[in-house]
Each structure stands twice: as C-alpha cells, then as structure tokens.
Amino acid sequence: MTITKRAGVYFTEAQGPASPEYDGNFVPLFIVQTSTAIASIDDQLTSYNSVAAFKAVVNNKGLTNTANFIEQAVTESEITQFYVYSIKTNTAEGFTNAIKECASRTEIRDVIYIEET
C-alpha cells in the first residue's frame, strides 16, 4: 500500500450545515479567532453547558456573529455541551497551543474555526 500523505494533522474546509450530527459522546470545539480581549476565555480551553453561558461571557465584546453562529450550531445539533478556545492573534503559536491543549480530549471529534472579522 502506498502512503500519499505524510503523518500529521490536516485541515480542510467544507460547506454545509452549521453543525454535524452528535450522538452525545462527542463534544464540538469552536476555535474563535478575534482581536477582542476576553480574559476568561483567551488562550484556554473553556467548556460550556449552554449557549446562554457563552453569550454572557462575550456580551458586548464584539463577538455577535460568533455567538450567533455557535447558537445556531448548538441548536441544530441539539447538544448542550461544547468547548471554546479563543486565539487572539493569527500566529502559529496560538494554533499550536490550541492543538496541544485539546489533543488529549477524546470527546472532541469536530473542530469548527470561526474568525469574527
């Protein structure tokens, strides 16, 4: 058997519904790229059990589109728990840290990247 790709993590872009189907065993991760500083979620993995809790944290912080997208995805999927990792700058270090922190979470199957700008 011939291997056509080197080992590693590959990212692809796809268009479709805002959220995939979940069976309760998996929790999605939303990586949020924004320049708005929010100390409680910046550069760390944060778990939420409701969209209302997330919206309370980001209220009036310039993340209106992000909050609306996450609400739509969570509502369509009928899930209650999700993770958010907020990256402040578009640097390799920020994404590397996000992957390092989330790599041990076996319940994360899908990663959704959102850029507020």
Side-chain angles (χ1 to χ4, degrees):
M1 178 162 96
T2 304
I3 297 174
T4 58
K5 286 187 175 182
R6 294 176 52 159
V9 177
Y10 292 89
F11 296 94
T12 60
E13 185 173 339
Q15 293 181 343
S19 57
E21 298 292 324
Y22 287 95
D23 62 5
N25 294 322
F26 297 104
V27 179
L29 166 64
F30 295 94
I31 295 179
V32 177
Q33 174 85 37
T34 179
S35 60
T36 305
I38 306 171
S40 61
I41 64 171
D42 289 348
D43 300 315
Q44 62 185 339
L45 184 65
T46 308
S47 178
Y48 291 96
N49 290 320
S50 72
V51 175
F54 175 71
K55 283 187 157 187
V57 171
V58 300
N59 190 29
N60 295 322
K61 302 274 200 259
L63 295 178
T64 305
N65 294 332
T66 298
N68 291 340
F69 179 84
I70 290 175
E71 180 175 34
Q72 179 185 355
V74 168
T75 301
E76 287 179 9
S77 299
E78 299 178 352
I79 58 173
T80 55
Q81 183 183 8
F82 59 94
Y83 291 109
V84 172
Y85 192 98
S86 179
I87 297 174
K88 293 292 124 234
T89 58
N90 188 14
T91 64
E93 181 183 357
F95 285 95
T96 300
N97 291 340
I99 291 171
K100 284 180 182 178
E101 187 161 341
C102 301
S104 64
R105 304 289 182 149
T106 57
E107 71 273 19
I108 296 175
R109 179 181 69 184
D110 294 306
V111 177
I112 299 96
Y113 172 73
I114 305 169
E115 187 171 346
E116 182 67 27
T117 58

